Amino acid sequence: MIDKEELLNNKDFYRSFKNGEDLTTFFKQMHKRAVEHMLEAELDAHLDNEKHEKTKDGNYRNGHGNKKIKSSFGESEIKVPRDRAGSFEPVLVPKRHNIIEGLENIIISFYAKGMSVSDIEEQVKELYDFERHSPIKCVS
């Protein structure tokens, strides 16, 4: 596991960024991956299983669709998981929506404070009240 405090104090890590654009690109990539992992966790909760496990009702994962989202980092193309029955309704990035307002600031703030990905997932789940819709399982 990565020691976040060590990473936050690692001068070599910061030297890997040549300019502000490199840092912004890194945050954009981190944001994209976090959103994709959280969508996978939503599908896990929707299907009540994790990848490669059998489902109780016969509904299975059915690949991914591409979707462009807009955030303060600009546009990104993410992979949104699908289910065979077409009943998966993502909460984080709902169908027919493409704007994630403020989520990237929350993720970056939590990460900078040294929170783990699972802790960030838990906080975002509480903040956006995911449990009202479906329980989220942590994906690593």
Short mmCIF file of all heavy atoms in Angstrom, two decimals, residues 34-73:
data_model
loop_
_atom_site.label_atom_id
_atom_site.label_comp_id
_atom_site.label_asym_id
_atom_site.label_seq_id
_atom_site.Cartn_x
_atom_site.Cartn_y
_atom_site.Cartn_z
N ALA A 34 -10.99 7.97 -10.55
CA ALA A 34 -11.83 7.90 -9.35
C ALA A 34 -13.30 7.77 -9.74
O ALA A 34 -14.02 6.95 -9.17
CB ALA A 34 -11.61 9.14 -8.48
N VAL A 35 -13.74 8.54 -10.72
CA VAL A 35 -15.13 8.47 -11.17
C VAL A 35 -15.42 7.08 -11.74
O VAL A 35 -16.45 6.47 -11.42
CB VAL A 35 -15.44 9.58 -12.21
CG1 VAL A 35 -16.78 9.34 -12.90
CG2 VAL A 35 -15.42 10.95 -11.55
N GLU A 36 -14.52 6.54 -12.54
CA GLU A 36 -14.73 5.21 -13.12
C GLU A 36 -14.79 4.13 -12.04
O GLU A 36 -15.65 3.23 -12.09
CB GLU A 36 -13.64 4.89 -14.15
CG GLU A 36 -13.77 5.70 -15.42
CD GLU A 36 -12.64 5.51 -16.40
OE1 GLU A 36 -11.53 5.09 -16.00
OE2 GLU A 36 -12.86 5.81 -17.60
N HIS A 37 -13.91 4.20 -11.04
CA HIS A 37 -13.94 3.22 -9.95
C HIS A 37 -15.23 3.33 -9.15
O HIS A 37 -15.81 2.32 -8.73
CB HIS A 37 -12.74 3.40 -9.01
CG HIS A 37 -11.46 2.83 -9.56
ND1 HIS A 37 -11.25 1.49 -9.73
CD2 HIS A 37 -10.34 3.45 -9.99
CE1 HIS A 37 -10.05 1.30 -10.23
NE2 HIS A 37 -9.47 2.48 -10.41
N MET A 38 -15.69 4.55 -8.94
CA MET A 38 -16.93 4.74 -8.18
C MET A 38 -18.14 4.23 -8.96
O MET A 38 -19.06 3.66 -8.37
CB MET A 38 -17.07 6.20 -7.79
CG MET A 38 -16.00 6.62 -6.79
SD MET A 38 -15.90 8.39 -6.52
CE MET A 38 -17.35 8.63 -5.54
N LEU A 39 -18.13 4.39 -10.27
CA LEU A 39 -19.22 3.85 -11.09
C LEU A 39 -19.21 2.32 -11.06
O LEU A 39 -20.27 1.68 -11.01
CB LEU A 39 -19.11 4.36 -12.54
CG LEU A 39 -19.47 5.83 -12.73
CD1 LEU A 39 -19.10 6.28 -14.14
CD2 LEU A 39 -20.94 6.07 -12.45
N GLU A 40 -18.02 1.72 -11.06
CA GLU A 40 -17.92 0.26 -10.94
C GLU A 40 -18.49 -0.19 -9.59
O GLU A 40 -19.18 -1.21 -9.52
CB GLU A 40 -16.46 -0.20 -11.08
CG GLU A 40 -15.89 -0.08 -12.47
CD GLU A 40 -16.45 -1.08 -13.48
OE1 GLU A 40 -17.09 -2.08 -13.07
OE2 GLU A 40 -16.25 -0.84 -14.68
N ALA A 41 -18.20 0.58 -8.54
CA ALA A 41 -18.73 0.24 -7.21
C ALA A 41 -20.26 0.36 -7.19
O ALA A 41 -20.94 -0.46 -6.57
CB ALA A 41 -18.12 1.16 -6.16
N GLU A 42 -20.79 1.36 -7.88
CA GLU A 42 -22.25 1.49 -7.98
C GLU A 42 -22.85 0.28 -8.67
O GLU A 42 -23.89 -0.24 -8.24
CB GLU A 42 -22.63 2.75 -8.76
CG GLU A 42 -22.57 4.02 -7.96
CD GLU A 42 -23.20 5.18 -8.73
OE1 GLU A 42 -24.38 5.06 -9.13
OE2 GLU A 42 -22.52 6.20 -8.91
N LEU A 43 -22.22 -0.20 -9.76
CA LEU A 43 -22.74 -1.37 -10.46
C LEU A 43 -22.63 -2.61 -9.59
O LEU A 43 -23.55 -3.44 -9.57
CB LEU A 43 -22.02 -1.58 -11.80
CG LEU A 43 -22.55 -2.75 -12.63
CD1 LEU A 43 -24.02 -2.56 -12.99
CD2 LEU A 43 -21.72 -2.94 -13.88
N ASP A 44 -21.54 -2.73 -8.83
CA ASP A 44 -21.42 -3.85 -7.88
C ASP A 44 -22.61 -3.86 -6.93
O ASP A 44 -23.21 -4.91 -6.67
CB ASP A 44 -20.13 -3.74 -7.05
CG ASP A 44 -18.86 -4.05 -7.83
OD1 ASP A 44 -18.97 -4.57 -8.96
OD2 ASP A 44 -17.77 -3.77 -7.30
N ALA A 45 -22.95 -2.69 -6.40
CA ALA A 45 -24.06 -2.58 -5.47
C ALA A 45 -25.39 -2.89 -6.17
O ALA A 45 -26.25 -3.57 -5.62
CB ALA A 45 -24.10 -1.19 -4.85
N HIS A 46 -25.54 -2.42 -7.39
CA HIS A 46 -26.78 -2.65 -8.16
C HIS A 46 -26.98 -4.14 -8.43
O HIS A 46 -28.09 -4.65 -8.29
CB HIS A 46 -26.72 -1.86 -9.48
CG HIS A 46 -27.85 -2.14 -10.40
ND1 HIS A 46 -29.13 -1.68 -10.16
CD2 HIS A 46 -27.91 -2.85 -11.56
CE1 HIS A 46 -29.92 -2.08 -11.13
NE2 HIS A 46 -29.21 -2.79 -11.99
N LEU A 47 -25.91 -4.82 -8.81
CA LEU A 47 -26.00 -6.24 -9.12
C LEU A 47 -25.89 -7.11 -7.87
O LEU A 47 -26.13 -8.31 -7.92
CB LEU A 47 -24.92 -6.65 -10.12
CG LEU A 47 -25.01 -6.02 -11.50
CD1 LEU A 47 -23.80 -6.42 -12.35
CD2 LEU A 47 -26.31 -6.41 -12.20
N ASP A 48 -25.51 -6.50 -6.76
CA ASP A 48 -25.30 -7.20 -5.50
C ASP A 48 -24.22 -8.27 -5.62
O ASP A 48 -24.35 -9.37 -5.08
CB ASP A 48 -26.61 -7.79 -4.97
CG ASP A 48 -26.51 -8.14 -3.49
OD1 ASP A 48 -25.70 -7.50 -2.79
OD2 ASP A 48 -27.22 -9.06 -3.04
N ASN A 49 -23.19 -7.97 -6.39
CA ASN A 49 -22.04 -8.86 -6.50
C ASN A 49 -20.86 -8.07 -7.05
O ASN A 49 -21.01 -6.94 -7.47
CB ASN A 49 -22.34 -10.06 -7.40
CG ASN A 49 -22.36 -9.71 -8.87
OD1 ASN A 49 -22.42 -8.55 -9.25
ND2 ASN A 49 -22.32 -10.71 -9.71
N GLU A 50 -19.69 -8.70 -7.00
CA GLU A 50 -18.51 -8.08 -7.58
C GLU A 50 -18.18 -8.77 -8.89
O GLU A 50 -18.74 -9.82 -9.21
CB GLU A 50 -17.35 -8.16 -6.58
CG GLU A 50 -17.61 -7.30 -5.36
CD GLU A 50 -16.42 -7.19 -4.44
OE1 GLU A 50 -15.28 -7.34 -4.91
OE2 GLU A 50 -16.64 -6.96 -3.25
N LYS A 51 -17.29 -8.18 -9.63
CA LYS A 51 -16.91 -8.69 -10.95
C LYS A 51 -16.55 -10.17 -10.87
O LYS A 51 -15.88 -10.60 -9.93
CB LYS A 51 -15.71 -7.88 -11.47
CG LYS A 51 -15.59 -7.86 -12.96
CD LYS A 51 -14.53 -6.85 -13.36
CE LYS A 51 -14.60 -6.62 -14.85
NZ LYS A 51 -13.71 -5.59 -15.28
N HIS A 52 -17.00 -10.94 -11.83
CA HIS A 52 -16.75 -12.38 -11.97
C HIS A 52 -17.51 -13.25 -10.97
O HIS A 52 -17.24 -14.42 -10.87
CB HIS A 52 -15.25 -12.70 -11.92
CG HIS A 52 -14.43 -11.91 -12.89
ND1 HIS A 52 -14.61 -11.99 -14.25
CD2 HIS A 52 -13.46 -11.00 -12.70
CE1 HIS A 52 -13.77 -11.18 -14.85
NE2 HIS A 52 -13.06 -10.55 -13.94
N GLU A 53 -18.42 -12.68 -10.21
CA GLU A 53 -19.28 -13.46 -9.33
C GLU A 53 -20.63 -13.64 -10.00
O GLU A 53 -21.07 -12.78 -10.76
CB GLU A 53 -19.50 -12.75 -7.98
CG GLU A 53 -18.31 -12.73 -7.07
CD GLU A 53 -18.61 -12.03 -5.75
OE1 GLU A 53 -19.75 -11.54 -5.56
OE2 GLU A 53 -17.71 -11.95 -4.91
N LYS A 54 -21.32 -14.74 -9.69
CA LYS A 54 -22.65 -14.97 -10.25
C LYS A 54 -23.66 -14.07 -9.55
O LYS A 54 -23.56 -13.80 -8.36
CB LYS A 54 -23.05 -16.43 -10.08
CG LYS A 54 -22.25 -17.36 -10.95
CD LYS A 54 -22.80 -18.75 -10.90
CE LYS A 54 -22.00 -19.62 -11.87
NZ LYS A 54 -22.58 -20.94 -12.02
N THR A 55 -24.65 -13.63 -10.31
CA THR A 55 -25.71 -12.81 -9.74
C THR A 55 -26.88 -13.69 -9.34
O THR A 55 -27.03 -14.81 -9.83
CB THR A 55 -26.20 -11.75 -10.74
OG1 THR A 55 -26.72 -12.40 -11.88
CG2 THR A 55 -25.09 -10.82 -11.14
N LYS A 56 -27.71 -13.16 -8.47
CA LYS A 56 -28.88 -13.91 -8.00
C LYS A 56 -30.01 -13.88 -9.01
O LYS A 56 -30.79 -14.82 -9.11
CB LYS A 56 -29.34 -13.34 -6.66
CG LYS A 56 -28.32 -13.51 -5.56
CD LYS A 56 -28.73 -12.79 -4.29
CE LYS A 56 -27.60 -12.93 -3.27
NZ LYS A 56 -27.68 -11.96 -2.22
N ASP A 57 -30.13 -12.79 -9.76
CA ASP A 57 -31.27 -12.65 -10.66
C ASP A 57 -30.93 -12.83 -12.15
O ASP A 57 -31.78 -12.63 -13.00
CB ASP A 57 -31.93 -11.29 -10.46
CG ASP A 57 -31.03 -10.13 -10.82
OD1 ASP A 57 -29.89 -10.36 -11.26
OD2 ASP A 57 -31.46 -8.98 -10.66
N GLY A 58 -29.70 -13.20 -12.46
CA GLY A 58 -29.33 -13.44 -13.85
C GLY A 58 -28.91 -12.20 -14.62
O GLY A 58 -28.61 -12.28 -15.81
N ASN A 59 -28.89 -11.05 -13.99
CA ASN A 59 -28.43 -9.82 -14.63
C ASN A 59 -26.91 -9.73 -14.45
O ASN A 59 -26.41 -9.88 -13.35
CB ASN A 59 -29.11 -8.60 -14.00
CG ASN A 59 -28.86 -7.32 -14.78
OD1 ASN A 59 -28.32 -7.36 -15.88
ND2 ASN A 59 -29.25 -6.22 -14.20
N TYR A 60 -26.20 -9.52 -15.52
CA TYR A 60 -24.74 -9.51 -15.50
C TYR A 60 -24.19 -8.22 -16.05
O TYR A 60 -24.89 -7.45 -16.70
CB TYR A 60 -24.19 -10.67 -16.34
CG TYR A 60 -24.51 -12.03 -15.77
CD1 TYR A 60 -25.64 -12.73 -16.19
CD2 TYR A 60 -23.68 -12.60 -14.82
CE1 TYR A 60 -25.93 -13.97 -15.67
CE2 TYR A 60 -23.97 -13.85 -14.29
CZ TYR A 60 -25.09 -14.52 -14.71
OH TYR A 60 -25.38 -15.75 -14.19
N ARG A 61 -22.90 -8.02 -15.83
CA ARG A 61 -22.20 -6.90 -16.45
C ARG A 61 -22.24 -7.09 -17.97
O ARG A 61 -22.22 -8.21 -18.45
CB ARG A 61 -20.76 -6.87 -15.96
CG ARG A 61 -20.63 -6.37 -14.56
CD ARG A 61 -19.24 -6.63 -14.00
NE ARG A 61 -19.12 -6.02 -12.70
CZ ARG A 61 -19.77 -6.43 -11.62
NH1 ARG A 61 -20.57 -7.46 -11.68
NH2 ARG A 61 -19.64 -5.80 -10.47
N ASN A 62 -22.25 -5.97 -18.67
CA ASN A 62 -22.31 -6.04 -20.12
C ASN A 62 -21.39 -4.98 -20.72
O ASN A 62 -21.80 -4.13 -21.50
CB ASN A 62 -23.76 -5.83 -20.60
CG ASN A 62 -23.93 -6.15 -22.06
OD1 ASN A 62 -23.18 -6.94 -22.62
ND2 ASN A 62 -24.91 -5.52 -22.69
N GLY A 63 -20.14 -5.01 -20.31
CA GLY A 63 -19.16 -4.10 -20.88
C GLY A 63 -19.30 -2.68 -20.37
O GLY A 63 -19.82 -2.43 -19.29
N HIS A 64 -18.84 -1.76 -21.19
CA HIS A 64 -18.83 -0.35 -20.83
C HIS A 64 -19.28 0.49 -22.01
O HIS A 64 -19.08 0.12 -23.16
CB HIS A 64 -17.41 0.11 -20.43
CG HIS A 64 -16.90 -0.54 -19.21
ND1 HIS A 64 -16.32 -1.79 -19.21
CD2 HIS A 64 -16.89 -0.13 -17.92
CE1 HIS A 64 -15.97 -2.11 -17.98
NE2 HIS A 64 -16.30 -1.11 -17.18
N GLY A 65 -19.86 1.61 -21.70
CA GLY A 65 -20.16 2.62 -22.70
C GLY A 65 -19.26 3.81 -22.45
O GLY A 65 -18.77 4.01 -21.34
N ASN A 66 -19.00 4.60 -23.45
CA ASN A 66 -18.19 5.81 -23.30
C ASN A 66 -19.11 7.00 -23.08
O ASN A 66 -20.20 7.07 -23.65
CB ASN A 66 -17.32 6.04 -24.53
CG ASN A 66 -16.25 4.98 -24.67
OD1 ASN A 66 -15.74 4.46 -23.68
ND2 ASN A 66 -15.91 4.65 -25.89
N LYS A 67 -18.65 7.91 -22.24
CA LYS A 67 -19.44 9.10 -21.94
C LYS A 67 -18.49 10.26 -21.71
O LYS A 67 -17.49 10.12 -21.01
CB LYS A 67 -20.29 8.85 -20.70
CG LYS A 67 -21.17 10.00 -20.30
CD LYS A 67 -22.04 9.60 -19.13
CE LYS A 67 -23.16 10.59 -18.98
NZ LYS A 67 -24.20 10.10 -18.09
N LYS A 68 -18.81 11.40 -22.27
CA LYS A 68 -18.02 12.61 -22.02
C LYS A 68 -18.63 13.33 -20.84
O LYS A 68 -19.84 13.54 -20.78
CB LYS A 68 -18.03 13.52 -23.24
CG LYS A 68 -17.12 13.03 -24.34
CD LYS A 68 -16.99 14.05 -25.44
CE LYS A 68 -16.08 13.49 -26.52
NZ LYS A 68 -15.94 14.41 -27.63
N ILE A 69 -17.76 13.68 -19.88
CA ILE A 69 -18.20 14.46 -18.73
C ILE A 69 -17.45 15.77 -18.70
O ILE A 69 -16.36 15.89 -19.24
CB ILE A 69 -18.00 13.69 -17.40
CG1 ILE A 69 -16.54 13.32 -17.19
CG2 ILE A 69 -18.91 12.48 -17.33
CD1 ILE A 69 -16.21 12.80 -15.81
N LYS A 70 -18.06 16.75 -18.06
CA LYS A 70 -17.44 18.06 -17.92
C LYS A 70 -17.21 18.33 -16.44
O LYS A 70 -18.07 18.07 -15.61
CB LYS A 70 -18.35 19.14 -18.50
CG LYS A 70 -18.57 19.02 -19.98
CD LYS A 70 -19.56 20.04 -20.48
CE LYS A 70 -19.87 19.77 -21.95
NZ LYS A 70 -20.94 20.64 -22.43
N SER A 71 -16.04 18.85 -16.14
CA SER A 71 -15.70 19.23 -14.78
C SER A 71 -14.81 20.47 -14.87
O SER A 71 -14.57 20.98 -15.95
CB SER A 71 -14.98 18.09 -14.06
OG SER A 71 -13.68 17.91 -14.60
N SER A 72 -14.32 20.91 -13.73
CA SER A 72 -13.46 22.09 -13.78
C SER A 72 -12.12 21.79 -14.45
O SER A 72 -11.36 22.69 -14.76
CB SER A 72 -13.21 22.63 -12.36
OG SER A 72 -12.55 21.66 -11.59
N PHE A 73 -11.84 20.49 -14.71
CA PHE A 73 -10.64 20.10 -15.44
C PHE A 73 -10.88 20.05 -16.94
O PHE A 73 -10.01 19.68 -17.70
CB PHE A 73 -10.14 18.73 -14.98
CG PHE A 73 -9.66 18.73 -13.56
CD1 PHE A 73 -10.36 18.05 -12.59
CD2 PHE A 73 -8.52 19.42 -13.19
CE1 PHE A 73 -9.92 18.05 -11.28
CE2 PHE A 73 -8.08 19.43 -11.89
CZ PHE A 73 -8.79 18.74 -10.93
#
